[in-house]
């Protein structure tokens, strides 16, 4: 007898709780899940970047490169000695 009563009460509670939700509720929950995932990934990437060791910067000597003059006229051509910084 107790089994029948418990099953009927459980069936009533489960029947009322298993009503399909609105599509708008499903969409809202989907947006919340996506926002939570983006937040977790952003926080994880920020913490990971903060805990990285800084990279050693190798200072290479600056080499001046002078492009070949485009004009064929010798009066407008710039030679490497004419370049000033």
């Amino acid at each position: 007898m107790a089994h029948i009563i418990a099953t009927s009460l459980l069936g009533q509670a489960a029947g009322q709780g298993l009503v399909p939700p609105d599509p708008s509720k499903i969409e809202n929950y989907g947006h919340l899940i996506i926002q939570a995932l983006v937040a977790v990934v952003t926080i994880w990437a920020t913490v990971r970047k903060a805990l990285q060791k800084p990279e050693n910067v190798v200072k290479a000597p600056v080499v001046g490169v002078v492009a070949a003059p485009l004009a064929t006229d010798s009066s407008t051509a710039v030679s490497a000695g004419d370049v000033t910084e």
Side-chain angles (χ1 to χ4, degrees):
M1 186 71 157
H3 183 316
I4 295 171
I5 294 173
T7 305
S8 66
L9 290 176
L10 185 62
Q12 287 291 327
Q16 291 178 1
L18 295 177
V19 176
D22 291 338
S24 63
K25 286 185 180 180
I26 294 172
E27 185 178 1
N28 288 338
Y29 283 122
H31 287 299
L32 286 174
I33 291 170
I34 291 171
Q35 287 177 352
L37 289 174
V38 168
V40 167
V41 169
T42 303
I43 292 169
W44 174 71
T46 304
V47 169
R48 190 176 131 237
K49 183 71 175 175
L51 295 177
Q52 279 183 343
K53 292 182 182 178
E55 297 179 9
N56 292 332
V57 178
V58 177
K59 294 185 178 183
V62 178
V63 179
V65 177
V66 178
L70 297 176
T72 57
D73 185 20
S74 62
S75 65
T76 59
V78 178
S79 65
D82 294 339
V83 177
T84 59
E85 291 185 38

